[in-house]
């Protein structure tokens, strides 16, 4: 009890509390701006934490971490331009709800509800089950990571709203892009076109901005030219808080997605992008009206947002208990902890218990502040939809260029973004799934490296993949996931 009281004293120092509020607000801004990712926000403001003593600097980073993941859903819902990779899945139902159904307030309200629920759920799990969940993640080695990647790739069949075959083809495109650069296992140079720019692989952020932002802008320009654009709308909000009927409808989706996000977050090397797609996939599978997903379903908005925000608490489990970052953002957090004299590991809970409790309370407060900011500013967010198209289009296009360039300060990234946008424009015309391409890029490298590593572990024996229970579980789930769309069609034909 003494440790908790000491932690509360650390948190409620006025300067520290203001730092947390500032961090959440800055995080939302970073997340909502295409190209300004969670990691970028943490990296840019990391030097600021040196000016704070003790917990103050860590609280700022916690606020940025939580706020940025939620902030990505704002542009994803209103503009079909995910602010962060973790919000890509939110566009699938969030954007149709905001534009086709003309319910942007409802979409943003559900997103805020789901983000808060997922964040608080994962923090409670962190507090209660950190040692137990850390033991599970300790059992993961290369075969389990490979199986997890294959399971992630298998959900391409579910996120492909049109043709499953085209979704698989999109995934193959993403897998090919993931092979560009120097092979991490053998050191061979592959598909670099004799340029040094591609030696490190295809940069993910420019591809993401190109496929989802620039391609969408090209489509919108075309629609505007033909006077068919739906971007400029006069939207009136009847309410911004989710209705009780909506809450009852999405409750179990929130619980399931929060559990998925927490579990994926506690496995080192994963992140919110994987959690959001897996959560969306499972929400669709458990839904009694699967065919309506992609048209503005509440579950389709809540599932990815609860999943990706639940990663925040889960990712702290391996950081605090093992000193292993769960994703890029927590790697920065790990550095911040060490700068402040906190050495993550099992002894941290004994030697620095008040600081650990302060991190727990900080995560809870960050999600509460995020919720208050989200619901109070929803009406301001929705005004983006009412901005005239001729004003909004140049602003968004400028942000895509600025966001892409600011990522790595490279014009090559800008050229890559434009090329990806033009290709994405034509792929959209032929109803290819952009999400499938992104999944392939995200998981391709992870699958390849861990597949080769697994074979090295087992002296070339493939039996390693079905003699390990967790690995076999993921591979079985992936097999069922791949076959389910085709089995569903066969059953409908028989009826």
């Amino acid at each position: 009890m003494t440790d908790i009281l000491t932690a509360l004293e650390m948190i409620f120092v006025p300067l520290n509390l203001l730092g947390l509020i500032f961090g959440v607000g800055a995080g939302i801004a970073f997340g909502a701006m295409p190209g300004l990712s969670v990691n970028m926000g943490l990296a840019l403001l990391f030097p600021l934490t040196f000016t704070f003593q003790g917990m103050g600097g860590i609280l700022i980073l916690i606020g940025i971490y939580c706020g940025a993941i939620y902030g990505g859903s704002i542009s994803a819902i209103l503009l079909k331009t995910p602010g962060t990779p973790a919000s890509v899945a939110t566009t699938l139902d969030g954007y149709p709800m905001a534009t086709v159904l003309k319910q942007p307030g409802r979409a943003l309200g559900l997103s805020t509800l789901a983000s808060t629920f997922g964040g608080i759920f994962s923090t409670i799990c962190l507090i209660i089950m950190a040692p137990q969940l850390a033991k599970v993640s300790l059992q993961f080695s290369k075969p389990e990571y490979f199986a997890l990647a294959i399971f992630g790739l298998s959900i391409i069949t579910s996120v492909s709203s049109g043709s499953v075959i085209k979704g698989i083809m999109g995934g193959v495109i993403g897998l090919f892009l993931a092979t560009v650069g120097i092979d991490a296992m053998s050191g061979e140079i592959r598909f670099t076109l004799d340029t040094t720019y591609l030696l490190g692989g295809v940069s993910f952020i420019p591809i993401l901005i190109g496929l989802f932002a620039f391609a969408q802008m090209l489509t919108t320009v075309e629609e505007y030219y033909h006077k068919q654009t739906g971007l400029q709308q006069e939207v009136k909000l009847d309410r911004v808080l989710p209705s009780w009927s909506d809450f009852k409808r999405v409750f179990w989706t929130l619980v399931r997605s929060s559990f998925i996000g927490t579990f994926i977050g506690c496995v080192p090397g994963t992140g919110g992008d994987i959690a959001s797609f897996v959560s969306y996939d499972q929400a669709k599978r458990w839904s009694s009206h699967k065919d309506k997903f992609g048209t503005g379903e509440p579950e389709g908005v809540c599932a990815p947002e609860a999943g990706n925000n639940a990663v925040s608490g889960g990712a702290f489990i391996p950081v605090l208990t093992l000193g292993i970052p769960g994703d890029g953002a927590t790697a920065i957090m790990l550095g911040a902890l060490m700068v402040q004299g906190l050495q993550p590991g099992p002894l941290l809970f004994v030697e620095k218990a008040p600081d650990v409790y302060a991190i727990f309370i900080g995560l809870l407060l960050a999600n509460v502040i995020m919720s208050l900011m989200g619901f109070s500013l929803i009406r301001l967010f929705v005004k983006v939809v009412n901005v005239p198209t001729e004003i909004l289009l140049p602003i968004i296009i400028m942000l895509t260029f600025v966001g892409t360039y600011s990522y790595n300060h490279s014009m090559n990234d800008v050229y890559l973004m434009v090329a990806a946008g033009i290709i994405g424009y034509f792929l959209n015309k032929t109803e290819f799934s952009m999400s499938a391409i992104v999944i392939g890029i995200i998981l391709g490298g992870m699958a390849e490296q861990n597949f080769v590593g697994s074979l090295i572990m087992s002296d070339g024996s493939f039996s390693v993949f079905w003699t390990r229970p967790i690995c076999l579980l993921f591979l079985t789930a992936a097999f069922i996931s791949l076959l389910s769309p085709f089995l569903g069609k066969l059953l409908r034909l028989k009826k």
Side-chain angles (χ1 to χ4, degrees), residues 90-321:
T90 309
T91 63
L92 300 178
D93 280 274
Y95 185 71
M97 182 180 284
T99 56
V100 179
L101 301 183
K102 297 183 179 180
Q103 297 174 339
R106 183 188 183 199
L108 287 169
L110 288 171
S111 168
T112 306
L113 169 69
S115 299
T116 305
F117 190 98
I120 292 176
F121 181 95
S122 68
T123 305
I124 293 173
C125 288
L126 169 65
I127 295 170
I128 297 174
M129 298 185 292
Q132 288 77 11
L133 290 176
K135 289 178 183 177
V136 174
S137 66
L138 275 176
Q139 299 178 30
F140 275 66
S141 59
K142 291 189 180 297
E144 283 76 22
Y145 282 120
F146 168 72
L148 178 62
I150 294 300
F151 174 65
L153 289 168
S154 72
I155 69 175
I156 284 173
T157 57
S158 291
V159 300
S160 304
S161 55
S163 168
V164 174
I165 299 299
K166 287 182 179 179
I168 294 174
M169 291 173 66
V172 171
I173 293 172
L175 288 173
F176 169 73
L177 292 175
T179 64
V180 175
I182 299 176
D183 181 8
M185 301 301 293
S186 67
E188 291 186 10
I189 298 175
R190 306 178 299 187
F191 313 119
T192 59
L193 304 176
D194 295 325
T195 65
T196 56
Y197 171 67
L198 293 176
L199 285 176
V202 176
S203 188
F204 174 66
I205 295 298
I207 292 286
L208 175 71
I209 296 174
L211 290 177
F212 283 92
F214 197 72
Q216 178 63 31
M217 288 306 99
L218 292 177
T219 302
T220 306
V221 168
E222 180 190 24
E223 292 174 350
Y224 180 73
Y225 178 77
H226 294 294
K227 304 299 181 183
Q228 295 175 350
T229 182
L231 188 61
Q232 182 180 354
Q233 307 174 48
E234 288 298 326
V235 180
K236 295 182 179 180
L237 297 181
D238 294 328
R239 61 182 303 154
V240 294
L241 291 173
S243 65
W244 178 244
S245 60
D246 270 346
F247 179 76
K248 288 191 295 183
R249 179 173 174 176
V250 303
F251 177 74
W252 290 113
T253 298
L254 294 175
V255 174
R256 180 173 56 250
S257 300
S258 298
F259 179 81
I260 291 170
T262 302
F263 177 75
I264 290 178
C266 77
V267 178
T270 57
D273 38 14
I274 299 175
S276 62
F277 278 114
V278 173
S279 299
Y280 183 88
D281 170 70
Q282 292 304 308
K284 186 174 181 179
R285 292 187 187 282
W286 284 86
S287 174
S288 58
H289 33 83
K290 301 178 180 64
D291 296 339
K292 292 185 179 180
F293 270 68
T295 62
E297 282 293 286
E299 293 93 332
V301 177
C302 289
E305 284 306 304
N308 61 32
N309 280 271
V311 167
S312 60
F316 269 94
I317 293 171
V319 169
L320 295 177
T321 59

